[in-house]
């Protein structure tokens, strides 16, 4: 694979109760363990960062495949929900659900575009076979 870009970030402090920042200084953020996991909450956490990155990446892939198919992606939105919990082997695992709104695309076509985006998206390719990723087209907004 020819690398086109490399992101670099550093974590410091107490891990999940620490701080992250990018090497170029464009992104800096304090972290806190969520209340649901016994922490104080009140700050971002790694699962939120992963959800934001996956949603943005998947939306880009979706717009790419939609453009190729000449589909109208006006008003499109991708939401990512990342869950964390014990994996039964002494560690922790993640789950992801991607919920896609394609209000200007008929449901069948929207489902096909979402499946195609799942094959193109780098986050989907990185997680495939490693964590459960569920795909859904939002019923209320699909044409």
């Amino acid at each position: 694979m020819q690398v086109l870009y490399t992101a670099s970030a550093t974590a410091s402090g107490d891990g999940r109760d620490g701080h992250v920042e990018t090497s170029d200084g464009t992104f800096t953020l304090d972290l806190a363990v969520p209340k649901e996991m016994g922490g104080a909450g009140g700050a971002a956490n790694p699962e939120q960062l992963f959800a934001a990155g996956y949603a943005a990446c998947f939306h880009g892939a979706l717009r790419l495949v939609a453009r190729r198919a000449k589909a109208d992606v006006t008003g499109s939105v991708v939401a990512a929900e990342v869950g964390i919990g014990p994996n039964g082997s002494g560690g922790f695992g993640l789950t992801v659900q991607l919920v896609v709104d394609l209000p200007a695309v008929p449901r069948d076509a929207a489902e096909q575009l979402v499946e195609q985006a799942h094959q193109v998206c780098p986050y989907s390719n990185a997680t495939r076979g490693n964590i459960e990723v569920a795909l859904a087209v939002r019923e209320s907004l699909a044409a």
Side-chain angles (χ1 to χ4, degrees), residues 108-134:
D108 288 348
E111 289 173 350
Q112 289 176 359
L113 291 171
V114 167
E115 281 297 332
Q116 291 170 13
H118 193 43
Q119 300 307 309
V120 171
C121 175
Y123 277 54
S124 291
N125 288 328
T127 59
R128 188 169 289 111
N130 297 310
I131 65 173
E132 180 184 331
V133 177

Side-chain angles (χ1 to χ4, degrees), residues 1-6 122:
M1 180 180 92
Q2 178 187 1
V3 175
L4 301 175
Y5 169 74
T6 300

Side-chain angles (χ1 to χ4, degrees), residues 16-39:
R16 289 178 164 273
D17 279 316
H19 182 83
V20 292
E21 61 185 84
T22 58
S23 59
D24 64 3
T26 59
F27 180 84
T28 179
L29 191 63
D30 290 328
L31 302 175
V33 175
K35 290 180 181 181
E36 296 85 349
M37 292 178 63

Side-chain angles (χ1 to χ4, degrees), residues 59-70:
H59 198 204
L62 179 66
R63 293 180 67 84
L64 173 71
V65 299
R67 196 168 38 251
R68 289 177 182 165
K70 297 184 179 16

